[in-house]
Amino acid sequence: MRKILVSSAAIAAFVAAMVFVPRASAEVGVAKFSLNDTISIPIMRKITNVYGRTNARVNYHVIEKEGNPAPIGGVQKNISIGVNNFANSDNSITGECRVALQYLRFSKVGNYALTIEEASVDDPTNYMQDTENKYDILFQVSNVLDSNQNPTGELRVELMDQLYSYKENAKVPLVASFEAPAIRTYISLTNQVKGAGADADKVFKYAVKMSGVGERAEIEINGQDSQVEYNGETIMTNDKYVATGNEDTLYVYLKHGQTATIGLRATKDGENSMQLPTGLNYTIEKVDANDGYAVAIDDENVAERTKTAHAVGTDDFAITNATTIVNIKDNSVNTGVFVEAWPYLIIAAFGLSGFVITRRIMRSF
């Protein structure tokens, strides 16, 4: 296999212009460089449906295409993009890496291709792999000719000015663009009351503790009344929570029959966008557990429950992401009926006793 050699003039041109034309060796001589080709090909990876800080890694393979005239030396076969930044205003984030070309070596004339494809993501629970996009980097290797148009024994390598896109089935600019959404989910909390002594209008307060939500992520909370009365205080509830990136605690206030959803956002096109990472560890706890109500979470007599959120559509989603809390009060309470009716009951009592006394007097004669 022949190696690429670079002249001092070519090095100077590379430093100044950051471009190259690979030069491959043939049986004799050294490949020539042209200043019209690029030294590397950018891979751009866009992740959509992300909120707050995102930390992901995507891996790529660069593969020699079958049918090349000869093996290509110096191929950078494995490349990764690390993304660790805050999402843009459109809830997306983009990372970049580059396929280096300056080390490639060619030994025969003909047309060559290197295929770029997405190999994997390091966290497939939270990030989808782009399996649709794939690109070929195209090269043309030809003989260097002398003044008589005879091969000199040296080869010239030219990088084509476009990539071939498998998805588009067409030539595209020299940028390999990949895109796939993050996998997100949401959780819900339903409040119920039971028992003869339960007050259906009573407001219950719950703490939802989460860890692993991206810093600055705005998490939407739906299903609460905008204003509630809790323990004698008027409270304006929050419909949005901004995560810190560490352990976060948000509060929801619910009456009987209400359900709060956390991390489910209605978009402008009428569809829902989910905001919480899958695999999220969270805890739901009833605040003020000594309010006279027995509490059961998911049919278990506890005031606190820890879960791990799963993706929508998984078999156990209804268990891992949805929580039902029942507050039970069975003791009798003064409903006010006795207070309002007591005068009539007294009159009735006196009337009955008078009737009994009169009958006894009549019998005595």
Side-chain angles (χ1 to χ4, degrees):
M1 191 65 64
R2 300 158 184 79
K3 297 183 178 180
I4 297 175
L5 301 179
V6 185
S7 68
S8 59
I11 294 175
F14 162 68
V15 173
M18 291 296 290
V19 295
F20 100 120
V21 165
R23 181 155 82 163
S25 60
E27 294 294 328
V28 294
V30 178
K32 295 181 178 178
F33 277 73
S34 163
L35 300 181
N36 297 324
D37 290 335
T38 309
I39 192 169
S40 60
I41 300 295
I43 299 177
M44 307 295 293
R45 179 51 150 92
K46 186 176 184 180
I47 305 174
T48 58
N49 193 37
V50 291
Y51 297 84
R53 180 177 285 279
T54 300
N55 190 355
R57 180 167 292 277
V58 188
N59 307 302
Y60 293 88
H61 285 162
V62 180
I63 305 168
E64 296 182 56
K65 191 171 182 179
E66 291 186 10
N68 284 342
I72 303 174
V75 177
Q76 185 182 9
K77 296 182 178 180
N78 299 299
I79 311 171
S80 295
I81 296 177
V83 179
N84 187 355
N85 210 333
F86 293 102
N88 300 321
S89 58
D90 64 348
N91 301 115
S92 71
I93 193 168
T94 302
E96 178 183 353
C97 66
R98 303 184 77 87
V99 182
L101 304 179
Q102 66 265 42
Y103 306 111
L104 298 181
R105 302 187 303 274
F106 300 83
S107 60
K108 289 185 178 181
V109 298
N111 295 321
Y112 292 78
L114 290 175
T115 302
I116 308 172
E117 62 182 14
E118 192 161 296
S120 64
V121 291
D122 281 5
D123 183 4
T125 301
N126 276 295
Y127 300 98
M128 291 186 64
Q129 181 180 341
D130 184 349
T131 58
E132 295 184 358
N133 285 297
K134 187 165 65 169
Y135 301 88
D136 278 349
I137 309 173
L138 305 173
F139 303 90
Q140 188 176 73
V141 180
S142 59
N143 288 309
V144 177
L145 304 178
D146 61 19
S147 59
N148 295 319
Q149 301 299 303
N150 296 317
T152 64
E154 297 177 355
L155 298 177
R156 181 189 302 276
V157 179
E158 293 182 87
L159 171 68
M160 300 296 98
D161 60 359
Q162 290 179 307
L163 302 178
Y164 172 75
S165 167
Y166 285 75
K167 181 179 179 181
E168 301 296 332
N169 191 25
K171 300 289 184 62
V172 297
L174 286 173
V175 178
S177 298
F178 295 84
E179 179 178 331
I183 303 170
R184 291 295 179 259
T185 190
Y186 71 95
I187 60 176
S188 66
L189 168 61
T190 299
N191 179 72
Q192 295 179 353
V193 297
K194 287 185 178 181
D199 181 1
D201 293 322
K202 176 178 170 58
V203 173
F204 296 86
K205 180 180 180 181
Y206 299 101
V208 181
K209 303 175 184 179
M210 303 178 293
S211 59
V213 181
E215 182 184 359
R216 298 188 198 173
E218 293 188 354
I219 306 303
E220 300 212 7
I221 308 168
N222 297 296
Q224 306 177 101
D225 292 339
S226 58
Q227 178 178 304
V228 299
E229 298 292 328
Y230 180 76
N231 286 348
E233 181 182 0
T234 300
I235 295 174
M236 306 301 294
T237 63
N238 295 318
D239 59 3
K240 191 174 293 183
Y241 177 83
V242 180
T244 66
N246 298 310
E247 183 171 298
D248 292 286
T249 301
L250 58 88
Y251 297 95
V252 294
Y253 298 82
L254 299 174
K255 293 186 292 188
H256 173 65
Q258 291 183 322
T259 297
T261 57
I262 301 169
L264 190 63
R265 172 175 173 256
T267 59
K268 293 180 180 179
D269 56 9
E271 296 184 358
N272 289 324
S273 175
M274 292 169 284
Q275 302 172 308
L276 299 179
T278 56
L280 172 76
N281 294 317
Y282 69 99
T283 298
I284 293 179
E285 178 183 3
K286 179 183 175 181
V287 179
D288 192 14
N290 299 319
D291 60 356
Y293 284 76
V295 60
I297 300 181
D298 294 338
D299 297 324
E300 186 177 350
N301 295 326
V302 294
E304 179 180 321
R305 172 61 59 84
T306 298
K307 297 184 175 184
T308 300
H310 289 188
V312 174
T314 54
D315 293 339
D316 52 359
F317 178 82
I319 299 172
T320 58
N321 292 52
T323 301
T324 299
I325 301 181
V326 180
N327 293 277
I328 308 162
K329 195 170 187 179
D330 286 324
N331 58 304
S332 300
V333 296
N334 186 349
T335 63
V337 175
F338 178 79
V339 175
E340 295 176 0
W342 71 267
Y344 304 100
L345 295 175
I346 292 176
I347 293 172
F350 274 112
L352 178 60
S353 62
F355 174 75
V356 172
I357 293 171
T358 302
R359 288 199 62 180
R360 289 181 177 177
I361 294 173
M362 292 293 293
R363 287 176 180 176
S364 63
F365 289 100

